[in-house]
């Protein structure tokens, strides 16, 4: 009790604060999401995400080498698919010579120790912008899962270390595990997007991949709320994470990040596997916009948010700030 105990004794200066700091960050805590485009020597900035680019495979490989040199050990990759390759089956997703498969091979050849976690979902390949196959006016769960298994196995054949299903279909983790094992990929892991909320924070990401739901000549859902989670729910997130672990997930993810730290802690307390948190495009864009206007100190708010995500229970943070934060930490 005061005055015997004074909390401020442990805050006197930075040396003392660093001695008793409960949470720390390092570049190895980060995974960098990367957008890949067709062509060569292509680098196109995404307008709603300053500093983030769609890159062709050759420039992606160079960026991966830089990330690895900074201490970042994982990348989460997405592809911008040409419209003429999109349909309602998603079949381009498991093309062995597709853009994603070529990118995985190129990254692993150039930087074998970088952990590559390709996205497993059909929305970049869908003519309707949904995460699965449209049937009778909705996303067909089981037919979509069949497609996701083929997609994940093709990623493993290309050299992926983990597959990262972001689709939120029921039962897909078990089917992916069975499919990977049947194909001989027992050591390819699954990082499941277990608690992925139907969030408005994804807008810039959908700009990057042109993956928002689209108007169609058939009945399609106007949004993704029939498969992504209601952001009013907490217990559901725990249930989803526990089911994914039971089905064989090696890691689970909570998405978005800062607005969902209560969910991060709940999931961390409930599961016995690492928890990844996706610090998403909208959260990134808000900091960039506010700092450009002089309303926030960019680096300070960036590091504070990343530290808070780690403090809440994240084992790994997928963040568009990964490179910037790693440079600061290395200084």
């Amino acid at each position: 009790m005061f005055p015997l105990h004074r909390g401020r004794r442990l805050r006197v200066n930075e040396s003392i604060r660093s001695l008793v700091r409960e949470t720390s960050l390092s570049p190895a805590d980060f995974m960098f999401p990367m957008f890949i485009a067709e062509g060569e020597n292509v680098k196109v900035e995404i307008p709603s995400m300053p500093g983030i680019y769609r890159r062709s495979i050759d420039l992606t490989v160079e960026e991966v080498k830089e990330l690895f040199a900074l201490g970042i050990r994982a990348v989460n990759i997405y592809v911008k698919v040409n419209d003429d390759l999109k349909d309602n089956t998603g079949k381009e997703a498991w093309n062995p010579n597709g853009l994603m498969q070529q990118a995985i091979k190129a990254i692993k050849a150039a930087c074998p120790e970088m952990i590559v976690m390709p996205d497993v979902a059909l929305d970049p390949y869908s003519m309707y912008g949904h995460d699965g196959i449209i049937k009778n006016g909705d996303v067909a769960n089981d037919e979509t899962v069949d497609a996701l298994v083929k997609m994940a196995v093709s990623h493993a054949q290309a050299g992926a270390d983990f597959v990262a299903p972001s689709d939120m279909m029921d039962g897909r983790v078990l089917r992916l595990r069975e499919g990977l094992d049947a194909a001989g990929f027992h050591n390819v892991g699954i990082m499941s997007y277990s608690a992925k909320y139907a969030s408005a924070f994804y807008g810039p990401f959908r700009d990057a991949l042109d993956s928002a739901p689209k108007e169609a000549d058939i009945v399609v859902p106007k949004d993704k709320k029939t498969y992504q989670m209601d952001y009013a729910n907490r217990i559901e997130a725990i249930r989803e994470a526990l089911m994914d672990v039971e089905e064989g997930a090696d890691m689970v993810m909570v998405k978005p990040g800062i607005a969902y730290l209560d969910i991060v802690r709940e999931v961390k307390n409930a599961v016995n596997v690492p928890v990844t948190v996706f610090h998403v495009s909208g959260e990134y864009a808000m900091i960039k916009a506010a700092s450009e206007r002089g309303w926030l100190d960019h680096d300070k708010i960036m590091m504070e948010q990343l530290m808070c995500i780690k403090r809440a229970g994240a084992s790994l943070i997928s963040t568009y700030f990964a490179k910037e934060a790693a440079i600061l930490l290395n200084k």
Side-chain angles (χ1 to χ4, degrees):
M1 57 183 287
F2 179 85
L4 298 180
H5 294 286
R6 293 177 181 263
R8 291 181 58 188
R9 292 181 188 133
L10 300 180
R11 305 176 200 141
V12 168
N13 55 47
E14 177 56 23
S15 293
I16 292 175
R17 292 191 294 271
S18 67
L19 288 175
V20 299
R21 189 163 289 141
E22 299 172 35
T23 308
S24 61
L25 281 173
S26 80
D29 291 321
F30 305 137
M31 175 163 62
F32 191 43
M34 305 188 77
F35 301 113
I36 301 169
E38 295 279 6
E40 293 184 9
N41 199 34
V42 174
K43 182 179 179 182
V44 178
E45 188 172 36
I46 299 159
S48 54
M49 300 175 70
I52 301 298
Y53 300 85
R54 286 193 294 264
R55 292 179 172 86
S56 51
I57 290 175
D58 53 335
L59 298 188
T60 297
V61 165
E62 295 306 310
E63 181 74 354
V64 166
K65 291 177 181 177
E66 289 186 32
L67 296 170
F68 195 84
L70 289 169
I72 295 168
R73 294 294 178 261
V75 291
N76 190 199
I77 58 176
Y78 304 83
V79 292
K80 173 70 170 66
V81 179
N82 291 337
D83 286 346
D84 60 352
L85 296 174
K86 297 180 181 183
D87 61 15
N88 191 34
T89 70
K91 62 182 183 295
E92 178 63 19
W94 54 90
N95 177 358
N97 298 312
L99 181 60
M100 177 68 86
Q101 290 76 6
Q102 292 181 53
I104 295 167
K105 291 175 184 176
I107 293 170
K108 293 302 292 185
C111 192
E113 293 184 48
M114 180 66 86
I115 302 301
V116 178
M117 300 191 189
D119 178 58
V120 175
L122 295 186
D123 50 332
Y125 304 89
S126 168
M127 61 194 295
Y128 302 122
H130 276 284
D131 289 46
I133 296 167
I134 300 296
K135 184 177 180 181
N136 299 325
D138 199 2
V139 174
N141 192 92
D142 296 2
E143 291 92 332
T144 295
V145 171
D146 291 340
L148 297 176
V149 172
K150 289 185 279 191
M151 185 179 185
V153 170
S154 77
H155 292 175
Q157 290 169 338
D161 300 283
F162 281 74
V163 294
S166 64
D167 57 287
M168 288 297 287
M169 297 298 111
D170 293 334
R172 90 277 207 212
V173 173
L174 177 60
R175 290 289 310 283
L176 290 175
R177 185 70 273 156
E178 291 172 342
L180 289 167
D181 288 353
F185 296 107
H186 305 280
N187 290 329
V188 172
I190 298 173
M191 181 190 70
S192 174
Y193 289 57
S194 297
K196 180 179 179 180
Y197 285 85
S199 171
F201 282 108
Y202 305 151
F205 175 93
R206 291 174 181 168
D207 291 343
L209 292 184
D210 187 27
S211 61
K214 296 174 175 60
E215 298 275 339
D217 55 0
I218 64 170
V219 177
V220 298
K222 65 178 182 179
D223 53 38
K224 303 191 177 187
K225 292 182 179 180
T226 67
Y227 45 100
Q228 294 178 358
M229 284 181 48
D230 183 344
Y231 57 71
N233 293 353
R234 177 182 61 86
I235 295 171
E236 183 185 5
I238 302 169
R239 184 169 69 247
E240 290 280 357
L242 288 172
M243 286 194 297
D244 283 359
V245 173
E246 288 176 359
E247 292 178 15
D250 300 282
M251 292 189 268
V252 296
M253 177 185 277
V254 175
K255 181 181 180 182
I258 283 295
Y260 294 78
L261 294 186
D262 59 322
I263 306 301
V264 175
R265 174 45 57 185
E266 293 271 16
V267 170
K268 180 70 171 180
N269 289 342
V271 302
N272 58 1
V273 300
V275 176
T276 303
V277 176
F278 205 138
H279 192 217
V280 300
S281 59
E283 295 170 313
Y284 173 90
M286 288 193 302
I287 292 176
K288 289 294 183 182
S291 63
E292 284 175 1
R293 288 159 176 77
W295 296 343
L296 292 173
D297 183 305
H298 178 279
D299 290 353
K300 288 181 179 178
I301 198 71
M302 171 182 72
M303 297 308 293
E304 180 178 344
Q305 288 203 0
L306 294 172
M307 185 70 80
C308 291
I309 293 171
K310 179 78 180 294
R311 187 197 65 218
S315 303
L316 179 65
I317 304 169
S318 184
T319 176
Y320 301 97
F321 286 117
K323 186 176 183 180
E324 292 174 274
I327 291 170
L328 274 182
L329 289 168
N330 285 332
K331 287 181 180 178

